[in-house]
Amino acid sequence: MRHDTKLAEPILAVETLPLEVAVVVPTLNEAANVERLVERLSVVLAGRGWEVVFVDDNSSDGTSELVRRIGRTSRHVRIVQRVGRRGLSSAVIEGILATAAPVIAVMDGDLQHSEDALPRLIEAIETGAAEVAVGTRYVEGGGTGDWDAGRVRMSRLATRAGQIALGTDVSDPMSGFFAIRRDAFERALPRLSAIGFKILIDILASAPTTLKVAEIPYHFRSREAGESKIGARVVAEYIELIADKTIGRFVPVRLLKFLTVGGLGVFVHLAVLRTMLGLGDTFIAAQTAAVVVAIAFNFFLNNSFTYADRKLKGWRMLGGLASFYAISALGAVANIGIGTWMAGHDERWWVAGVAGVLVGAVWNFAMSSVLTWRK
């Protein structure tokens, strides 16, 4: 018994404050900012039981290795390294699920979010004033820093579009700087889309009941090091998120993207067919060439657009193309079969044609999702 007591003493000696809050920081090539961010969090969160969880998408600049090195001497610092997948929203979700903290704050790793506002965000949650506390640039006391007029207009336009589409009056629903109660996040979790970079608007739209929101002003700062991730992809993913939270309740957005690609493929098919016939080829030869080219067109565009999150590369792309050809061939058989059957039951030729096209398209989408671009 005496031996057991001696073993327990050092364990009791290192007991610290219970975990109150976790700061989740998604990163991609932010090694230049990690140490300064940890230092600043240590100052503003002093006296609390806290930890910072970096969720790194396998950065090429050594971000994960640096966080591990810091974590060996600081119990506050943790790392979740993701390999083979990317995305800020999904990174935030994994970071929240990786911590036991009852209050979670989310901020970027580029030092543009002012850590000075962090205690106020946390306090709004801890006092029960809100379930979600949003760091906002668009109320009195907040600001967008050195943004030029064009970027401010674009941000406000995107913000307004989100407010209208999702029916929220939060002034900055696109903010990446916020705090949330764990139970509020868990209620929204089953319906989260995890698309793109705007996790806050996803949470607000996915909660089964309206969340109580507090808005805390802060000034957006200029990036000190590293490169901005803003680009065309961010805009496209934001549009996809809005679509998923509106029409996506009735029709999967991925299916709509797949059908859009298929529609473009029709024009490619007709263009190749017309060209081949103009060169003197027989119809069967021209039609065959058009089908082969259109299927390849659909595959490569779907690979980059519809299934960007599962994009095939290298040798896997060749296997995917082969499977897509096989699936499309069976889809064509289904198209013809259903169309012919419908023609025997309905004299309107276009009804039979549309029925065949829809069955073929749904077949192609379902099977390619399972086989060609499986998770």
Side-chain angles (χ1 to χ4, degrees):
M1 290 296 293
R2 192 180 309 164
H3 178 66
D4 291 341
T5 302
K6 289 182 178 179
L7 284 175
E9 286 175 355
I11 296 175
L12 293 172
V14 297
E15 282 294 318
T16 55
L17 294 170
L19 181 61
E20 302 172 39
V21 61
V23 182
V24 174
V25 182
T27 57
L28 178 63
N29 296 326
E30 297 288 0
N33 295 314
V34 166
E35 290 181 288
R36 279 179 293 178
L37 178 56
V38 172
E39 289 172 1
R40 294 178 183 185
L41 291 178
S42 299
V43 173
V44 298
L45 297 177
R48 295 179 178 273
W50 68 278
E51 67 179 6
V52 56
V53 182
F54 289 92
V55 185
D56 184 61
D57 285 354
N58 203 31
S59 296
S60 59
D61 69 347
T63 299
S64 293
E65 291 80 0
L66 174 59
V67 174
R68 284 194 186 91
R69 190 158 63 248
I70 297 171
R72 291 189 189 107
T73 57
S74 173
R75 72 170 187 83
H76 295 293
V77 180
R78 296 176 53 209
I79 178 70
V80 174
Q81 183 176 1
R82 307 197 308 169
V83 178
R85 59 192 187 279
R86 286 189 176 183
L88 186 145
S89 291
S90 59
V92 170
I93 292 169
E94 291 190 37
I96 294 175
L97 294 176
T99 179
V103 177
I104 301 98
V106 177
M107 64 189 303
D108 290 346
D110 53 16
L111 304 179
Q112 292 183 294
H113 292 152
S114 175
E115 68 285 343
D116 293 335
L118 196 54
R120 286 178 288 154
L121 292 173
I122 296 168
E123 286 165 10
I125 304 299
E126 291 180 332
T127 61
E131 294 172 291
V132 181
V134 179
T136 178
R137 300 159 288 185
Y138 300 131
V139 297
E140 186 177 353
T144 55
D146 60 358
W147 284 9
D148 58 39
R151 185 173 179 184
V152 171
R153 282 196 299 271
M154 287 297 295
S155 177
R156 289 192 177 276
L157 178 62
T159 296
R160 187 56 183 154
Q163 290 172 328
I164 293 172
L166 304 177
T168 178
D169 58 359
V170 176
S171 67
D172 199 356
M174 294 172 60
S175 177
F177 186 31
F178 62 93
I180 187 169
R181 265 177 32 190
R182 171 170 291 281
D183 63 324
F185 168 78
E186 290 175 346
R187 292 199 303 273
L189 180 58
R191 297 177 59 192
L192 290 178
S193 300
I195 296 173
F197 287 65
K198 304 303 177 184
I199 182 63
L200 175 61
I201 202 169
D202 195 358
I203 291 172
L204 295 175
S206 300
T209 57
T210 302
L211 295 175
K212 186 178 180 182
V213 177
E215 298 192 278
I216 308 298
Y218 81 100
H219 280 273
F220 194 78
R221 297 188 298 217
S222 299
R223 174 180 276 275
E224 297 185 19
E227 297 181 357
S228 173
K229 312 303 187 296
I230 299 295
R233 180 184 172 189
V234 174
V235 176
E237 289 179 339
Y238 178 65
I239 294 172
E240 183 178 352
L241 174 61
I242 295 298
D244 186 65
K245 291 305 174 187
T246 50
I247 59 178
R249 299 173 183 175
F250 311 102
V251 182
V253 172
R254 199 187 295 273
L255 173 59
L256 294 178
K257 293 167 72 175
F258 190 88
L259 293 177
T260 299
V261 171
L264 295 174
V266 171
F267 289 101
V268 172
H269 180 108
L270 294 176
V272 173
L273 179 61
R274 179 68 184 86
T275 301
M276 298 295 287
L277 291 174
L279 294 174
D281 284 306
T282 63
F283 181 83
I284 189 170
Q287 179 76 332
T288 301
V291 168
V292 170
V293 172
I295 291 176
F297 170 85
N298 286 1
F299 169 79
F300 287 109
L301 189 53
N302 276 316
N303 194 47
S304 296
F305 175 60
T306 308
Y307 295 96
D309 57 327
R310 308 180 194 176
K311 189 173 184 179
L312 303 176
K313 299 177 181 179
W315 290 106
R316 292 184 63 221
M317 187 181 294
L318 292 179
L321 179 59
S323 71
F324 191 69
Y325 268 115
I327 290 167
S328 298
L330 291 174
V333 172
N335 182 334
I336 295 169
I338 293 297
T340 302
W341 181 82
M342 285 292 294
H345 292 77
D346 194 312
E347 294 182 355
R348 293 169 296 179
W349 62 269
W350 62 270
V351 173
V354 170
V357 168
L358 288 177
V359 169
V362 171
W363 162 268
N364 288 348
F365 172 71
M367 296 309 296
S368 60
S369 293
V370 172
L371 299 178
T372 305
W373 289 284
R374 60 184 179 274
K375 287 187 177 181

